[in-house]
Amino acid sequence: MPKTRLDTARIRAARRLIAPVFRDTPLYRCEALEPELGCAVSVKLETANPVRSFKARGTEVAATRLAGQGRPAVVCASAGNLGQALAWSGRRRGLDVTVVASRFATAAKLDRVRALGARLELVDGDHETARRRAAAIARSDGIRLLEDSLDLETCEGAATIGLELVDASPSFDAVLIALGGGALATGIGHVLKEMAPGVEVICVQPLGAPALTLSWRERRVVTTGTTRTIADGVAGRCPIPAVLADLLVVADDAVLVTEASIVTGMRLLLDRAGLVAEPSAALGIAAVLEDRDRFAGRHVATVVCGGNVDPAAHRRWTGGR
């Protein structure tokens, strides 16, 4: 296949740097979801770990390498999940971690960043504002900036999920992957295209935060002015050109879904599978809900990529008490 920035040998090496608690996560066929979706569905559960998201696969790689290089400090911008993961990985290796986030980010995620010992700086504005501030801190303090999706540790750490999907039996017809900054999609997509090219790689993004999907469709970077989605973990506005170039190689399709379908997906994951999923983690289910005919008779896998959600908001969205 055409080249991406990723390398399968490095991905295999990265897997050895990740704490066992984040590897070999549950992957199982969830028959309780199938009557509603009209197809065979397997879920790859990335929430049953200390930070309740897939992000630590990348931060484990980055933190291990930073510690080995004698670099004691790192900063990142985060909507919450990357910050938690970097705080966990950094604390384990004695790193000084700073996380920059929007003050409008999910409070439960921010509280967890603090609890894990990171220095948290809040900014007015959205995630793109936080990215600019994190870059400024890195320059002024002379420390490492870990930029999600741009830095290969984040992509190749996420790509280890792809290795685990490829090892599954039976294989899948399609894998549905949440699309935000692009690390998860390009990482898993790279592995699937190299090792299981018959599997369709479908990226899913909210209609209210469509920048990378629009960029994939137009084959050029498309930025958006605002985002309007409950799926804060994928609500970027300014795609990274190098990430788009990788996505153009590995993605077979990129689709947009409505907020209503995301909420229904969260409700189904809770009611039928007993899973608390944040909105970004329900994007794959939402994609099937919106196009049942496309997936009828097929076996799809979806990555439940995070479970960090405000409890009151989750109850409101899913109809719980």
Side-chain angles (χ1 to χ4, degrees):
M1 75 176 192
K3 292 281 188 180
T4 71
R5 295 177 302 142
L6 285 70
D7 177 81
T8 302
R10 285 201 310 264
I11 294 165
R12 293 189 184 281
R15 191 175 187 280
R16 296 191 289 272
L17 304 180
I18 300 170
V21 71
F22 298 110
R23 301 195 314 252
D24 299 309
T25 52
L27 171 64
Y28 57 94
R29 184 166 170 182
C30 189
E31 294 183 50
L33 288 169
E34 294 174 3
E36 291 283 348
L37 300 181
C39 62
V41 181
S42 289
V43 295
K44 179 67 165 162
L45 187 60
E46 291 293 310
T47 63
N49 63 57
V51 298
R52 294 190 294 189
S53 85
F54 78 96
K55 295 286 189 179
R57 291 182 184 250
T59 60
E60 283 287 277
V61 178
T64 300
R65 292 175 178 168
L66 281 169
Q69 296 163 1
R71 301 182 67 180
V74 59
V75 60
C76 76
S78 175
N81 284 351
L82 180 70
Q84 290 181 69
L86 187 57
W88 193 94
S89 298
R91 184 178 68 177
R92 187 165 176 256
R93 294 164 180 83
L95 302 181
D96 181 14
V97 175
T98 299
V99 176
V100 184
S102 167
R103 68 179 65 257
F104 307 109
T106 300
K109 295 181 180 182
L110 299 181
D111 289 344
R112 189 62 181 152
V113 170
R114 294 187 185 97
L116 287 166
R119 180 182 301 106
L120 180 63
E121 179 174 325
L122 300 180
V123 297
D124 293 317
D126 63 6
H127 182 63
E128 302 304 334
T129 306
R131 283 177 62 188
R132 291 192 293 272
R133 176 57 184 158
I137 291 172
R139 288 192 300 269
S140 64
D141 294 357
I143 63 175
R144 169 70 189 273
L145 170 66
L146 183 67
E147 186 154 5
D148 200 11
S149 303
L150 177 61
D151 289 345
L152 282 176
E153 295 101 326
T154 63
C155 302
E156 292 182 342
T160 61
I161 298 171
L163 296 177
E164 295 166 20
L165 288 169
V166 167
D167 287 342
S169 180
S171 62
F172 310 105
D173 297 305
V175 175
L176 299 159
I177 310 169
L179 183 61
L184 186 66
T186 59
I188 295 174
H190 171 92
V191 172
L192 291 176
K193 286 306 165 192
E194 185 165 296
M195 302 177 66
V199 177
E200 189 177 18
V201 175
I202 303 172
C203 304
V204 190
Q205 200 164 35
L207 190 63
L212 195 47
T213 294
L214 297 179
S215 299
W216 181 86
R217 291 176 178 177
E218 298 193 22
R219 304 187 69 84
R220 64 178 181 86
V221 171
V222 177
T223 61
T224 56
T226 59
T227 60
R228 294 179 60 86
T229 180
I230 61 172
D232 60 309
V234 294
R237 297 188 293 106
C238 303
I240 298 168
V243 178
L244 174 60
D246 290 340
L247 194 69
L248 289 170
V249 173
V250 304
D252 294 302
D253 201 1
V255 301
L256 297 171
V257 296
T258 65
E259 299 294 289
S261 294
I262 296 170
V263 169
T264 301
M266 293 172 65
R267 187 179 302 122
L268 285 173
L269 286 167
L270 179 64
D271 292 347
R272 302 299 174 88
L275 298 175
V276 174
E278 63 185 83
S280 301
L283 287 169
I285 302 299
V288 179
L289 287 169
E290 293 200 0
D291 200 353
R292 287 181 176 86
D293 289 346
R294 175 177 184 172
F295 299 103
R298 306 175 75 191
H299 188 176
V300 305
T302 185
V303 181
V304 180
C305 56
N308 289 298
V309 60
D310 178 76
H314 188 267
R315 288 192 294 270
R316 185 170 67 251
W317 292 326
T318 60
R321 294 185 179 182

